[in-house]
Amino acid sequence: MSLFPRRRSDSQVDEAKRHRWWWLVPAAAVVVAGIAFAGWVGLNLRPPASDEGNVLVMVQPGESVAEVADQLQNKGLIRSATLFRWYVSYVHKGQEVKAGAYRLTYGQTLPQLVTALTEGTEAATIRVTIPEGFTVTQIADRLAVAGVVKRKAFLQEVQSGHFQEPFLAEIGHRPQVRWRLEGYLFPDTYEFTKGESAHAVVGDMLEDFQRRVASVYGTTMHRQGQSLSQVVTEASLIEKEAKVDAERPLIASVINNRLHHRPPMKLQIDATIEYILGHRDVVTVEDTHVDNPYNTYLHSGLPPGPIASPGLASIRAVLHPAHTDYLYYVAKNDGSGEHYFAATYAQQLRNEARSQHNLHAQS
């Protein structure tokens, strides 16, 4: 036995060094991951940059934290829906997001938003119904009268506001269109608050259109070879012309038959003249000569864009029109709101005579 310890070989020393450094690799990975996670949390705790003011958030009874988080992220109030869910689960453990209407301000921190939603501090809301067939200016007037938003601010947002709904990429830039978002402010009943930002109001209507129309009927439109703009424009004509739901597919068939007729036939729809000139009890021959791209008496095909906000019934009529040989229609003027339909001009003349007879009988 040697009185002195054996000196380790160089290979043994190298092996010892390797073992000593191995544990640093996973430790370093943990540190890097921790720093990255902390950076992610720090970034997403900061509210998104925005100068929009405030927005109304509706939390429905039974709505989950995940659904609320997605809504907040979609409205640009938070950066991360995931972080919101974690914060509610671990920091506000045992507390629930309460149903109600909340006026939330852009720039509020995540803790401030969670506190407002879990304490249930609701905002006073104004319920406004936008009927089918309303134009952009009619919508602006109704909102202004209700005290929701100023007319001028609303119309400015309609023309130049920036929004994120996917369908907006489809309608593109149309230089001849009078109001950029005409037809896409979905007719519905909305909950707003007094003095709400014009951007938030328009955004809510576009979000409703995306959810109720574009996301539901987009595939059918594309399968039929129709663009969103074509469908909504034609639907807006039907919305203004039809008074009885059962006739919407019939009016759609007349429009389609005229659009595809050879030789071409102008649509000659009175509602387009009224869109240009305002309401007319009777559209005169002189009215039909107005020089405007929306004038379907002068210009072939559909007008440059929608002339009002159509409802779902009119949109469905465009996608599923009746199959007829009708090329004409005229109001019956008998109080029913219905029309006489005709396949030939001779039939149309007879129907116009019946319509005038009914009108005199009614008066």
Side-chain angles (χ1 to χ4, degrees):
M1 177 184 295
S2 174
L3 296 176
F4 302 98
R6 262 188 325 182
R7 185 178 177 184
R8 289 186 296 177
S9 67
D10 289 343
S11 62
Q12 289 175 320
V13 172
D14 291 341
E15 184 69 19
K17 286 181 178 179
R18 281 197 295 271
H19 281 296
R20 191 161 57 241
W21 288 102
W22 279 354
W23 70 272
L24 291 177
V25 175
V30 170
V31 170
V32 171
I35 292 172
F37 179 74
W40 178 83
V41 171
L43 172 65
N44 287 283
L45 277 174
R46 297 204 309 269
S50 177
D51 57 358
E52 297 300 340
N54 52 54
V55 64
L56 184 69
V57 172
M58 301 294 297
V59 179
Q60 304 297 334
E63 197 166 10
S64 68
V65 171
E67 291 171 321
V68 174
D70 288 340
Q71 183 182 173
L72 296 178
Q73 184 172 338
N74 290 337
K75 290 182 180 294
L77 286 161
I78 60 174
R79 294 177 185 270
S80 170
T82 301
L83 187 59
F84 181 90
R85 295 197 302 270
W86 288 352
Y87 192 90
V88 173
S89 297
Y90 296 107
V91 179
H92 283 253
K93 192 173 183 178
Q95 292 181 283
E96 295 180 352
V97 172
K98 296 181 180 178
Y102 297 89
R103 169 59 53 198
L104 301 177
T105 303
Y106 288 100
Q108 282 183 290
T109 64
L110 191 147
Q112 289 172 331
L113 292 171
V114 173
T115 298
L117 293 168
T118 54
E119 290 183 355
T121 308
E122 294 185 55
T125 62
I126 301 172
R127 177 167 289 193
V128 181
T129 297
I130 306 301
E132 291 90 347
F134 258 35
T135 64
V136 158
T137 53
Q138 287 175 311
I139 295 172
D141 290 337
R142 176 158 293 196
L143 292 170
V145 169
V148 173
V149 66
K150 292 183 178 179
R151 184 180 193 274
K152 182 178 179 180
F154 179 83
L155 293 177
Q156 285 178 339
E157 201 65 35
V158 165
Q159 287 296 74
S160 57
H162 297 285
F163 302 93
Q164 302 302 316
E165 278 66 32
F167 79 84
L168 292 173
E170 294 187 46
I171 64 176
H173 176 64
R174 299 157 297 156
Q176 289 189 313
V177 168
R178 175 184 286 184
W179 293 105
R180 179 175 65 114
L181 298 179
E182 184 81 86
Y184 302 98
L185 304 176
F186 191 71
D188 206 344
T189 297
Y190 295 90
E191 296 278 355
F192 298 119
T193 59
K194 186 175 182 179
E196 186 155 359
S197 76
H199 184 85
V201 172
V202 175
D204 282 351
M205 293 181 170
L206 295 177
E207 184 182 330
D208 206 16
F209 182 93
Q210 178 69 48
R211 180 174 57 87
R212 303 280 302 278
V213 179
S215 296
V216 176
Y217 299 102
T219 301
T220 303
M221 295 178 196
H222 295 152
R223 188 171 60 244
Q224 294 182 359
Q226 299 193 78
S227 70
L228 180 64
S229 179
Q230 288 174 321
V231 171
V232 177
T233 299
E234 184 175 340
S236 73
L237 301 179
I238 296 169
E239 193 65 59
K240 298 299 284 187
E241 292 284 285
K243 300 297 183 289
V244 177
D245 279 348
E247 288 192 349
R248 295 180 196 275
L250 294 173
I251 293 176
S253 75
V254 173
I255 293 173
N256 288 345
N257 291 342
R258 280 181 166 252
L259 288 174
H260 297 101
H261 191 271
R262 292 294 178 270
M265 293 183 72
K266 295 181 175 68
L267 293 182
Q268 297 183 323
I269 291 178
D270 288 354
T272 62
I273 303 301
E274 294 192 280
Y275 186 68
I276 301 165
L277 301 176
H279 174 71
R280 295 287 192 272
D281 288 332
V282 177
V283 173
T284 66
V285 173
E286 183 181 359
D287 291 336
T288 64
H289 293 158
V290 61
D291 184 14
N292 189 285
Y294 282 87
N295 185 347
T296 55
Y297 279 84
L298 289 183
H299 303 285
S300 299
L302 293 169
I307 63 171
S309 290
L312 293 178
S314 293
I315 290 170
R316 285 193 289 263
V318 176
L319 298 175
H320 306 288
H323 297 288
T324 74
D325 57 357
Y326 295 146
L327 292 170
Y328 307 90
Y329 61 85
V330 62
K332 288 184 178 180
N333 285 323
D334 62 354
S336 67
E338 297 176 349
H339 294 80
Y340 295 120
F341 292 85
T344 67
Y345 187 58
Q347 291 173 341
Q348 172 70 356
L349 290 177
R350 289 195 292 272
N351 287 340
E352 288 179 358
R354 294 166 67 190
S355 172
Q356 286 300 308
H357 174 79
N358 294 339
L359 183 62
H360 293 313
Q362 287 287 312
S363 60

